[in-house]
Amino acid sequence: MTKYDVIGIGNAVMDVITQCDDAFLSRTGIEKGIMQLVEQERSDFLFNEMGESRRIPGGSVANTVAGVANMGLKTAFIGKVADDEVGTSYISQTVASGTDMPNAAVSGGALPSSRSMIFVSPDGERSMNTYLGISSEVGPEDVPEAVCAEAQILFLEGYLYDKDKGKAAFTTAARLTRATGGLAGIALSDPFCVDRHRGDFRKLVRELDYVIGNEHEWKSLYETDDLGAALEQAASESGLIVCTRSSQDVVLVRGDEEAVVPVKRVTPVDATGAGDLFAAGFLYGLATGADLAVSGRMGVVAAAEVISHYGARPEADLGALFKAEGLI
């Protein structure tokens, strides 16, 4: 019996969320609907332009782990924050929501805690401007052996591959988790991330236990416009692949087992976190022994909940929603 059902390692980013119109995006030079990395000066400028906002601990894998905790499983998140107001709040809110955060805030460092200014336009599109700060400095020294060795499932964030120390942290965490019988997998994160690390990610598809990506990421990974060809190749190389396609069917393949899960179209209030919470529902299914179709449906239900309100973390009891859908 492991201590943790699901653990994750990734960027610990405080999400600062506000509403805006397209004119605001134009005036401030924000490119709509994408995630941009910004330097500290640009971060300070946008933060001061936000007005009324909400602060919610974020980061892609951190959101996924929080979603799994909402479903009642035991979770931990491995990330790095500074000993400042943002960092201490990040830890306290994470722990309060049911997820262990084993690493203490770093004192006396040169880099502050990370934050992402998220501007949500009336059509639900989110424009993210992220200052990574200390969160991108996660290295193997930040990976707690006891946590990884006591995990059933490890979930890795592709964005951390931008630094060698992040790669080393992944290797360490995956080795520790798999050495005690756990599963290790990764989210491809975004097509630009795939472009930067195609060779490494192709290797991970072959070596890890599962890989989650959307249609754009899978096509980028195999440098093709033919999604079917990309998924066929991925399925031949990986033990388990998952492909999300916005408002279209989700495809999951594990060996000879394949599931195609329909997605009900809904108008999003805020699309932030849809992929993260899909992963949460899917990992809940994987951790509890559900088959691919049920795991995929859990992911769809969780994603639909999170886009029904502002913020990238669930507000409803996802377990109750699963019961209402006959999934548990």
Side-chain angles (χ1 to χ4, degrees):
M1 187 79 176
T2 56
K3 181 177 180 180
Y4 296 108
D5 298 297
V6 176
I7 66 171
I9 177 171
N11 286 305
V13 184
M14 183 68 84
D15 287 342
V16 187
I17 307 169
T18 192
Q19 299 177 57
C20 72
D21 55 23
D22 288 349
F24 175 89
L25 298 178
S26 179
R27 178 175 66 81
T28 53
I30 296 172
E31 190 169 347
K32 184 176 179 177
I34 68 167
M35 193 284 284
Q36 288 185 310
L37 296 178
V38 299
E39 298 300 323
Q40 187 170 2
E41 182 178 357
R42 172 71 169 165
S43 170
D44 292 341
F45 165 74
L46 293 176
F47 184 77
N48 291 331
E49 290 285 319
M50 296 193 80
E52 185 177 350
S53 62
R54 296 177 61 191
R55 297 188 184 189
I56 306 172
S60 180
V61 163
N63 291 335
T64 297
V65 172
V68 176
N70 172 282
M71 300 167 201
L73 297 188
K74 296 169 291 183
T75 59
F77 174 64
I78 300 165
K80 200 163 190 173
V81 300
D83 188 16
D84 52 24
E85 184 274 330
V86 169
T88 55
S89 177
Y90 191 100
I91 291 177
S92 63
Q93 289 190 59
T94 298
V95 173
S97 68
T99 293
D100 288 349
M101 196 163 173
N103 295 339
V106 178
S107 299
L111 295 173
S113 296
S114 309
R115 64 189 181 190
S116 180
M117 280 65 66
I118 302 174
F119 299 89
V120 184
S121 45
D123 58 2
E125 284 288 346
R126 83 277 197 206
S127 305
M128 304 172 66
N129 295 264
T130 303
Y131 170 62
L132 290 177
I134 199 172
S135 74
S136 63
E137 297 300 311
V138 172
E141 70 278 5
D142 300 306
V143 177
E145 181 174 352
V147 172
C148 294
E150 284 290 328
Q152 180 185 353
I153 296 174
L154 167 68
F155 190 40
L156 307 171
E157 183 171 306
Y159 287 126
L160 281 185
Y161 251 64
D162 282 331
K163 293 195 175 183
D164 288 342
K165 62 176 63 179
K167 295 181 184 179
F170 278 11
T171 300
T172 299
R175 174 178 54 80
L176 291 170
T177 300
R178 300 179 87 194
T180 54
L183 303 177
I186 192 169
L188 295 177
S189 292
D190 75 30
F192 304 107
C193 188
V194 173
D195 288 342
R196 293 192 297 270
H197 307 293
R198 184 172 289 107
D200 285 324
F201 285 176
R202 288 283 298 273
K203 184 179 179 183
L204 289 173
V205 168
R206 296 189 294 270
E207 294 181 351
L208 294 181
D209 300 296
Y210 65 92
V211 181
I212 302 174
N214 64 34
E215 59 180 319
H216 306 295
E217 292 156 2
W218 284 115
K219 287 192 288 188
S220 173
L221 186 66
Y222 292 103
E223 299 181 275
T224 178
D225 290 328
D226 185 339
L227 178 62
L231 295 184
E232 183 177 358
Q233 185 165 354
S236 71
E237 296 177 349
S238 174
L240 170 56
I241 64 163
V242 181
C243 177
T244 60
R245 298 186 293 167
S246 187
S247 58
Q248 299 183 59
D249 295 347
V250 177
V251 179
L252 307 93
V253 184
R254 177 170 53 196
D256 294 332
E257 181 185 5
E258 179 176 340
V260 179
V261 178
V263 173
K264 182 179 178 181
R265 288 177 177 267
V266 297
T267 301
V269 173
D270 174 11
T272 308
D276 304 338
L277 266 294
F278 172 85
F282 165 74
L283 292 177
Y284 176 90
L286 191 63
T288 56
D291 64 26
L292 285 191
V294 170
S295 298
R297 288 178 61 197
M298 288 174 169
V300 169
V301 169
E305 190 283 334
V306 82
I307 66 173
S308 70
H309 56 77
Y310 289 105
R313 298 199 172 186
E315 294 182 351
D317 181 338
L318 295 176
L321 295 181
F322 293 164
K323 289 180 181 178
E325 293 287 332
L327 300 176
I328 58 176

